[in-house]
Amino acid sequence: MNKSLDDFVADLHARGFKLDDEAIGFIYFGKKFTGADDQLIKMAIETTLKCQKRFDSSFYMSVLEELSGRKWKDKNEMTEHLKAKGMAL
């Protein structure tokens, strides 16, 4: 079962990625701005943390915009797309 976005953020916190209120607010802003579903939002957060080693709001937004607007079959397809764009995942 897929975790909700809230559960995903709580899980990140439990694993040591403590996002501050500003970062969490920006995550939800990006969700509303792009109309992306939770799976896309989680992928953008995960990609941001893997590539930047911290939450970078502008990087997150660029990943989110890259992923939104297209139907993805699964997380693997999104990962392959981002790798093809040069992101080290």
Side-chain angles (χ1 to χ4, degrees), residues 62-84:
S62 65
V63 171
L64 187 55
E65 288 176 335
E66 178 66 34
L67 292 175
S68 58
R70 182 172 167 199
K71 297 292 181 194
W72 302 97
K73 288 187 240 173
D74 55 27
K75 183 178 176 179
N76 289 335
E77 187 179 31
M78 286 187 277
T79 300
E80 291 305 313
H81 175 75
L82 292 172
K83 283 181 181 179

Side-chain angles (χ1 to χ4, degrees), residues 30-71:
K31 178 180 171 81
K32 185 175 181 178
F33 180 77
T34 61
D37 64 19
D38 282 1
Q39 182 182 10
L40 277 148
I41 300 296
K42 292 185 288 187
M43 184 67 181
I45 295 167
E46 193 175 301
T47 301
T48 300
L49 294 175
K50 284 181 179 177
C51 292
Q52 302 296 99
K53 308 297 185 223
R54 63 182 179 83
F55 186 80
D56 177 326
S57 57
S58 61
F59 189 86
Y60 159 78
M61 195 57 130
S62 65
V63 171
L64 187 55
E65 288 176 335
E66 178 66 34
L67 292 175
S68 58
R70 182 172 167 199
K71 297 292 181 194

Side-chain angles (χ1 to χ4, degrees), residues 14-41:
R15 293 187 312 179
F17 292 101
K18 298 180 179 15
L19 301 172
D20 61 21
D21 290 341
E22 184 177 333
I24 292 170
F26 199 82
I27 287 168
Y28 283 94
F29 166 77
K31 178 180 171 81
K32 185 175 181 178
F33 180 77
T34 61
D37 64 19
D38 282 1
Q39 182 182 10
L40 277 148
I41 300 296

